[in-house]
Amino acid sequence: MEGSDTYLIRPNHQNKFKPAIVKECIREIVRERLSGKRYEPEEVLELSRSLAECIKDRVKNAGFDKYKLVVQVVIGEQRGEGVKMSSRCFWDADTDNHAEDLFINESLFCLAVVFGSYYY
Amino acid sequence: MDEYHTEETAFAVEDVSKIINESVEAAIGGHAYQHNRVNQWTSIVVEQCLSQLTKLGRPFKYIVTCIIMQKNGAGLQTASTCFWDNNSDGSCAVKWENKSMYCIVTVFGLAI
């Protein structure tokens, strides 16, 4: 019966948002796209958007069907400045979770975070 | 039964933006960038934002992120993409600055 998952208010174990898997997805994509790149202001705009789209598509295909996703990508130039990013969430801690990865090279740093929130 | 669906079921960007501005101003307005206080500042900003947002009493899950960066001539770019329901969910990003630092706060609201 196809309609039966509309009654589920908790995800099955297989469909639960798994931070480790998502972190691996993020890591692969970011490493592949940014290794050896330098920070260029014109390029970075397009790059951050396309990275976010790529990560979102990859995570969607990983099978977290009943999850709403928010992907945030921050790319900054490395000039010795201090940066701090933090986040807080007001959600259901049983079902919702997040995964992040940080990539650094000599000219830039890139932080990508994925938040997954279960849609009841 | 239709009383449950009032106008408040969509994400209200102006209210959220006001809350963010007030929280940031209260936490770091008038301060100069100090490396050893940044951790505390980001925590205060997000926690303040989140508690004000929950006081609105709307049927939303919230995700609040805050980035504080020292003004050093360096460039920073943030982008976000979301897989959600456009009718009920929304986001609001506020960029705030003073002489020594930038603060970018983003709030994502996901309807339950």
Side-chain angles (χ1 to χ4, degrees):
Chain A
M1 203 169 113
E2 278 311 308
S4 59
D5 63 2
T6 53
Y7 296 120
L8 283 176
I9 55 168
R10 284 279 178 273
N12 295 334
H13 185 70
Q14 289 99 323
N15 299 337
K16 203 158 179 183
F17 189 92
K18 299 192 180 81
I21 295 188
V22 176
K23 181 175 165 110
E24 215 25 63
C25 292
I26 302 177
R27 190 170 269 244
E28 271 171 31
I29 295 176
V30 171
R31 237 132 267 243
E32 182 194 316
R33 302 278 301 268
L34 292 183
S35 287
K37 278 247 177 197
R38 297 200 55 79
Y39 184 92
E40 311 273 347
E42 315 83 34
E43 243 191 272
V44 150
L45 180 57
E46 204 32 56
L47 189 54
S48 57
R49 275 197 207 136
S50 74
L51 260 179
E53 287 291 325
C54 240
I55 293 175
K56 181 188 74 170
D57 292 334
R58 180 77 75 95
V59 175
K60 259 171 59 180
N61 292 337
F64 306 115
D65 296 326
K66 296 267 289 172
Y67 277 88
K68 286 184 177 176
L69 300 173
V70 174
V71 179
Q72 191 169 20
V73 171
V74 179
I75 302 185
E77 194 180 356
Q78 269 241 61
R79 271 215 211 170
E81 80 277 15
V83 185
K84 171 80 180 157
M85 174 161 164
S86 66
S87 68
R88 286 284 184 286
C89 309
F90 178 68
W91 58 24
D92 182 345
D94 281 341
T95 56
D96 306 332
N97 217 321
H98 78 286
E100 75 217 19
D101 194 45
L102 174 65
F103 170 80
I104 310 184
N105 72 15
E106 307 89 39
S107 122
L108 56 76
F109 66 89
C110 173
L111 178 70
V113 195
V114 176
F115 299 97
S117 159
Y118 190 69
Y119 184 60
Y120 301 106
Chain B
M1 282 306 251
D2 275 347
E3 288 124 32
Y4 290 131
H5 296 283
T6 63
E7 308 78 44
E8 294 185 15
T9 49
F11 188 74
V13 180
E14 312 78 35
D15 293 346
V16 171
S17 166
K18 200 159 66 98
I19 289 177
I20 300 178
N21 272 311
E22 285 167 7
S23 306
V24 175
E25 198 55 50
I28 57 178
H31 288 126
Y33 181 88
Q34 278 167 271
H35 183 70
N36 51 4
R37 292 193 66 185
V38 163
N39 277 348
Q40 194 189 21
W41 285 338
T42 52
S43 297
I44 294 176
V45 169
V46 274
E47 272 156 28
Q48 192 52 11
C49 276
L50 203 52
S51 67
Q52 295 292 85
L53 285 166
T54 52
K55 284 196 189 131
L56 289 175
R58 306 223 176 112
F60 281 97
K61 291 183 178 176
Y62 294 104
I63 297 169
V64 182
T65 65
C66 167
I67 303 174
I68 294 186
M69 182 166 104
Q70 187 184 18
K71 273 192 183 180
N72 200 5
L76 184 81
Q77 179 72 41
T78 74
S80 64
T81 178
C82 310
F83 177 63
W84 61 23
D85 179 350
N86 270 331
N87 296 331
S88 56
D89 305 331
S91 70
C92 175
V94 170
K95 193 187 94 154
W96 180 97
E97 64 182 280
N98 70 9
K99 285 217 293 275
S100 59
M101 56 187 169
Y102 294 108
C103 177
I104 304 176
V105 177
T106 329
V107 173
F108 301 94
L110 305 170
I112 297 182

